[in-house]
Amino acid sequence: MTTSSSPHRIVIAGCGSMARTWAAYALERPHAEIVGLVDLYETSARSFAGHFGLAVPIFADLDEAITATGANLVFDVTIPESHKQIASTAIARGCSIFSEKPMAASYEDAKELAALAEKSGARYAIMQNRRFLPKARALKDFIATEAIGPIGAIHADFFLGPHFGGFRDLMEHPLILDMAIHTFDQARQISGANPVSVYCHEFNPPGSWYQGHAAAICIFEMSDGSVFSYRGSWCAEGFATSWQADWRILGAKGTVRWDGENDPVCEMVDESQRSAFMRPVKRVDVPVAWQGREGHLGCLDDMFDSLEAGRPSETEYFDNILSLSMVFGAIQSSKSGQKVMLA
């Protein structure tokens, strides 16, 4: 067994395009070292190694790679169907895991992995890059002040028409399964509440270039008594929203809006004015103060910082599985035509 002198001895599982972002980060992270690559296709791994000038061994089996390199951290950047095998192997070998989303290809697999991680005490974090956007975090922090009072409803609209081609065009649930977890997870982040139930109606609009359901309307009951509604389409031509969706949060004393790109804005009841049929409102600034890095880099910063501090990351498995339950609960509801209670 080879032992690196770095505290973070990393094996990267999966050498596709997304893994390049993770590898570039690891190469710049203090006290981190890439010690091995794992991929079923040796040519892909060799090309990956050559791109970064890595002189590390290449394996087809993760267990063998951990044994040979003395790795203690696994980057799982494989396809979703491989996440259960990769994570369970890493946990069994005492490694920490940083994984691409989704946590697993099914909710049942995710629950099994969560149980394994809980029993072993492994650090297991999942990439949710949209949590690390300054304006989203500003919205979360502002709502937490209760400036607009208790939250009654959160609404998110997501309308885009990307022509990906490839596997997404053939998926049964392309919008919900491949994309909606970002918006669902942001709803939890912004509100600080967790899902209780969901009713979802999926459909495929006229003109859609997807084989499966490219549009959906979801209603989630949340743990704080609020309702989160999601309206989305991946075959909407014209008046596109941002990839972060278009948000409206309604409180007892006002409303906050965020278009996903510009600073959030708030209008709340102006108590200094005389009441009327339509109560007068005033504009209130939503300060954007977060100085961390954005997107994938911000999430990786938190993953490593939490590992070094001995604390859970913001996207640790026991939190992330709640967002994943929203995805698979919505699909179950769509198939059954019934409201689904979420664990």
Side-chain angles (χ1 to χ4, degrees):
M1 179 178 74
T2 301
T3 301
S4 164
S5 59
S6 298
H8 305 304
R9 304 186 297 277
I10 304 163
V11 163
I12 299 178
C15 296
S17 58
M18 183 56 70
R20 295 195 173 195
T21 299
W22 294 54
Y25 178 96
L27 290 171
E28 295 180 356
R29 179 82 190 190
H31 314 302
E33 182 180 359
I34 299 170
V35 296
L37 303 175
V38 178
D39 200 287
L40 293 176
Y41 301 98
E42 184 178 347
T43 54
S44 296
R46 292 200 178 281
S47 174
F48 187 91
H51 178 80
F52 290 102
L54 293 171
V56 298
I58 293 170
F59 306 87
D61 178 77
L62 178 60
D63 190 76
E64 180 185 349
I66 294 170
T67 299
T69 63
N72 58 12
L73 175 59
V74 173
F75 282 2
D76 182 0
V77 206
T78 61
I79 60 174
E81 290 74 15
S82 297
H83 288 181
K84 182 181 180 182
Q85 179 185 357
I86 296 296
S88 58
T89 299
I91 290 169
R93 297 304 307 272
C95 293
S96 299
I97 314 103
F98 295 166
S99 173
E100 252 301 341
K101 64 91 180 168
M103 185 174 165
S106 73
Y107 187 55
E108 290 70 25
D109 284 352
K111 287 193 292 185
E112 285 186 35
L113 291 175
L116 288 173
E118 178 69 22
K119 184 177 180 179
S120 70
R123 291 268 71 88
Y124 179 18
I126 292 83
M127 174 59 69
Q128 291 291 169
N129 50 294
R130 284 181 172 83
R131 280 202 172 211
F132 296 87
L133 299 173
K135 292 163 188 176
R137 297 180 84 86
L139 184 56
K140 167 186 176 293
D141 292 342
F142 186 78
I143 295 302
T145 68
E146 297 189 347
I148 60 170
I151 301 303
I154 297 180
H155 304 289
D157 285 343
F158 179 90
F159 295 106
L160 287 166
H163 291 257
F164 291 108
F167 73 92
R168 290 181 180 87
D169 289 4
L170 305 177
M171 291 175 66
E172 186 178 1
H173 311 278
L175 177 68
I176 294 293
L177 192 57
D178 193 57
M179 183 64 203
I181 191 169
H182 286 298
T183 312
F184 294 172
D185 187 70
Q186 281 185 299
R188 290 185 54 240
Q189 177 192 28
I190 290 167
S191 68
N194 292 321
V196 174
S197 71
V198 59
Y199 175 79
C200 172
H201 175 68
E202 287 182 292
F203 57 103
N204 206 27
S208 172
W209 48 94
Y210 295 87
Q211 182 172 296
H213 298 304
I217 299 173
C218 303
I219 302 170
F220 291 92
E221 294 174 303
M222 304 298 284
S223 59
D224 63 354
S226 67
V227 172
F228 164 52
S229 76
Y230 171 85
R231 301 188 303 176
S233 174
W234 246 2
C235 57
E237 304 280 25
F239 293 108
T241 65
S242 81
W243 284 89
Q244 278 64 252
D246 191 338
W247 296 82
R248 180 185 287 261
I249 299 95
L250 286 76
K253 298 188 293 184
T255 295
V256 183
R257 294 196 64 187
W258 181 44
D259 64 5
E261 294 180 352
N262 298 299
D263 288 355
V265 294
C266 174
E267 285 188 347
M268 59 189 300
V269 173
D270 188 350
E271 302 286 358
S272 69
Q273 301 295 315
R274 181 178 299 176
S275 186
F277 177 67
M278 298 289 287
R279 298 182 72 184
V281 296
K282 60 183 178 181
R283 186 76 167 258
V284 176
D285 289 336
V286 178
V288 179
W290 191 66
Q291 298 295 315
R293 294 202 287 182
E294 296 188 29
H296 286 83
L297 298 181
C299 194
L300 286 165
D301 280 343
D302 181 64
M303 288 174 170
F304 272 98
D305 290 348
S306 65
L307 188 61
E308 292 167 1
R311 61 169 174 82
S313 72
E314 188 170 323
T315 60
E316 202 76 16
Y317 69 92
F318 52 75
D319 180 90
N320 190 255
I321 198 171
L322 298 173
S323 298
L324 195 64
S325 76
M326 297 171 78
V327 172
F328 288 109
I331 291 173
Q332 182 184 345
S333 173
S334 174
K335 289 180 175 180
S336 68
Q338 302 292 320
K339 181 169 80 170
V340 171
M341 302 305 294
L342 303 175

